[in-house]
Amino acid sequence: MAGVEEVGTGAVGVPSSGNTISTVLVVIAMQAEAMPLVQTLQLTEEDEPSVFPKAVPWKKYSGTHEGLSVHIVVPGKDFHLGVDSVGTVPVSMLTYASIVSLHPDLIINAGTAGGFQSKGAAIGDVFVATHFANHDRRIPVPVFDEYGIGTLGATPIPNLVKALALKEGKMSTGNSLDMTPEDEEIIKANDATIKDMEGAAVAYVADLFTVPLIALKAVTDIVDGSKPTVEEFLENMSTAAAALSAMVPRVLKYVSGKKIADL
Ligand code: ADE
């Protein structure tokens, strides 16, 4: 099984033209993660007509902040069960539709993640992902194995990372909150510091459309710690949402008036 290599895929969304950033799309999987930020940025839920098809539960909150046009999108509630539509499938559809209708200059995928304390993660840390990879796409056939892992480098943002003193780490994505022994083996091969459920899917779509992507993930649980993941995740969810609603505006302030190459 292939792990992370310095693959020839390059970084997500490094555009050749250097326009000043004006439209930012913030993709968030859970409503509870998004609402504190919607309030901080004083965004409003869009009126009719929706940019999204009527059939979907996706929501969009928009406004201006620091001279930027900012849109927060969430995949909304599952029609059958009423819970947030987390995971890779809803977020990749949402990201696709949002790129096509809103033409963002930059995507921020904000959310929560499990962190590995052995790699320096602590509860409440906000990490920026340097690489994206998958750990639940096991295809042990030559080349398809590497496709399954799907490693992508993040858009380079060295000045932003330094200015905001952000912690950096590789991220591994899968559709489960827990971790099977098979997942663990691949996450370790992916050299991940953080583990989430959407990042690599957003990166895949951003890469298709050459849109730069910053993934900001607040740590809710320590994957290699002693507490049960679900208990720790639920306990720290609001702390993480608060950390994100403090960090995203700082990132928006920093990117305002700049080009991607300045970040
Ligand atoms: N989001 C928050 N904690 C997580 C975990 N342990 N795994 C995947 N996604 C998460």
Side-chain angles (χ1 to χ4, degrees):
M1 181 64 60
V4 167
E5 295 151 341
E6 295 306 314
V7 289
T9 42
V12 176
V14 181
S16 50
S17 76
N19 294 334
T20 302
I21 298 163
S22 72
T23 301
V24 181
L25 172 71
V26 185
V27 180
I28 303 181
M30 295 185 77
Q31 195 85 23
E33 294 165 349
M35 290 325 283
L37 188 57
V38 167
Q39 272 146 26
T40 303
L41 299 178
Q42 297 186 296
L43 306 183
T44 50
E45 189 169 355
E46 76 169 355
D47 299 323
E48 297 290 318
S50 174
V51 294
F52 299 137
K54 270 202 165 45
V56 301
W58 311 338
K59 287 175 182 275
K60 178 172 86 65
Y61 304 88
S62 300
T64 52
H65 184 79
E66 297 283 349
L68 299 163
S69 176
V70 179
H71 306 279
I72 294 183
V73 293
V74 298
K77 304 289 178 191
D78 179 84
F79 278 138
H80 304 286
L81 300 171
V83 295
D84 291 313
S85 307
V86 300
T88 59
V89 171
V91 86
S92 55
M93 294 176 68
L94 173 66
T95 304
Y96 164 75
S98 301
I99 291 174
V100 168
S101 62
L102 303 169
H103 308 288
D105 301 302
L106 172 67
I107 299 174
I108 297 174
N109 173 215
T112 59
F116 288 83
Q117 61 187 2
S118 58
K119 292 207 161 261
I123 301 289
D125 281 347
V126 178
F127 271 87
V128 60
T130 58
H131 293 77
F132 304 92
N134 297 276
H135 55 256
D136 62 357
R137 306 198 317 179
R138 295 177 293 277
I139 317 171
V141 176
V143 190
F144 283 98
D145 54 359
E146 217 172 313
Y147 164 79
I149 298 294
T151 304
L152 288 167
T155 308
I157 50 166
N159 300 322
L160 190 161
V161 166
K162 198 170 169 199
L164 302 190
L166 285 162
K167 282 190 164 186
E168 292 181 286
K170 292 178 181 172
M171 181 155 78
S172 193
T173 298
N175 276 290
S176 301
L177 186 70
D178 67 2
M179 184 171 73
T180 65
E182 290 86 355
D183 289 343
E184 185 172 5
E185 189 186 321
I186 300 168
I187 290 168
K188 285 191 173 147
N190 288 345
D191 192 27
T193 301
I194 49 174
K195 163 183 181 288
D196 87 328
M197 296 174 65
E198 289 88 19
V202 178
Y204 172 76
V205 183
D207 189 51
L208 282 182
F209 289 89
T210 328
V211 184
L213 169 65
I214 298 173
L216 294 171
K217 300 280 163 160
V219 174
T220 48
D221 51 278
I222 297 301
V223 185
D224 53 350
S226 53
K227 277 199 179 177
T229 296
V230 173
E231 195 181 298
E232 208 174 20
F233 170 73
L234 294 174
E235 197 177 298
N236 295 310
M237 180 67 197
S238 62
T239 311
L244 284 174
S245 69
M247 187 56 78
V248 174
R250 293 180 66 203
V251 171
L252 293 173
K253 185 170 185 180
Y254 187 85
V255 307
S256 172
K258 294 192 175 70
K259 299 172 179 177
I260 295 297
D262 300 328
L263 308 181

